Amino acid sequence: MKIEPEQLDVLRTYLASIYDACEKASAAGVSATVNGEKLNLRQLFEIETTAYLMYLSASDNVIEEDEVAFINSLMSRTYSLDDCVKFIESSQMSAEEFLSQPPVSFKLLAAYGGADYADAMDALISFYDVLGMALSEVDDNLALPERNAYKSFVYMLRGYKALNEPQQD
């Protein structure tokens, strides 16, 4: 199943909303330092979301051209298949490792969310869920490892949310 333009539009709408939240958090001083470089939350989110897509693509041990095209279209990038393979190889982290820990941007948005914590986390979790489902369907190869990987990732995010949710008085 190829991704329909309407599905891509839905994902872009999610992205726009998350980018808005990232911009608000960055304006409030939320940032991160990665490899010695200070990044605002949107930059970090874009990097981590692109990495999520690459790792998810590699979870069935084959990165397809259609998957790379999907990543490029959604994230406004120009990666080649070789770029994605090199990224995975150079990161020194397995897909299982990457997909088993929340992205730093997710944790920062959670901390920033405050009273809106649950809504912010639910939106991010839904985004990663829909994004993973879309990627797993993009190459007409409904690979079980990709589906299992994104479902495990979403489950892990839900667990993180539950463990870190502010207590009600």
Side-chain angles (χ1 to χ4, degrees), residues 36-78:
E37 181 181 354
K38 187 173 181 178
L39 301 174
N40 68 41
L41 198 49
R42 178 178 171 154
Q43 292 168 315
L44 181 62
F45 176 78
E46 287 175 339
I47 290 166
E48 291 179 325
T49 300
T50 302
Y52 168 71
L53 290 168
M54 287 186 189
Y55 277 108
L56 202 55
S57 296
S59 65
D60 63 352
N61 296 316
V62 179
I63 300 176
E64 302 286 344
E65 288 286 352
D66 287 344
E67 293 169 329
V68 176
F70 174 75
I71 293 168
N72 286 335
S73 177
L74 183 65
M75 302 305 295
S76 302
R77 300 288 186 250
T78 57

Side-chain angles (χ1 to χ4, degrees), residues 116-142:
D116 297 326
Y117 175 87
D119 291 341
M121 292 300 90
D122 288 341
L124 283 167
I125 292 167
S126 292
F127 170 72
Y128 281 113
D129 191 18
V130 171
L131 186 59
M133 184 176 10
L135 184 77
S136 74
E137 297 174 350
V138 79
D139 62 0
D140 286 331
N141 175 18
L142 298 176

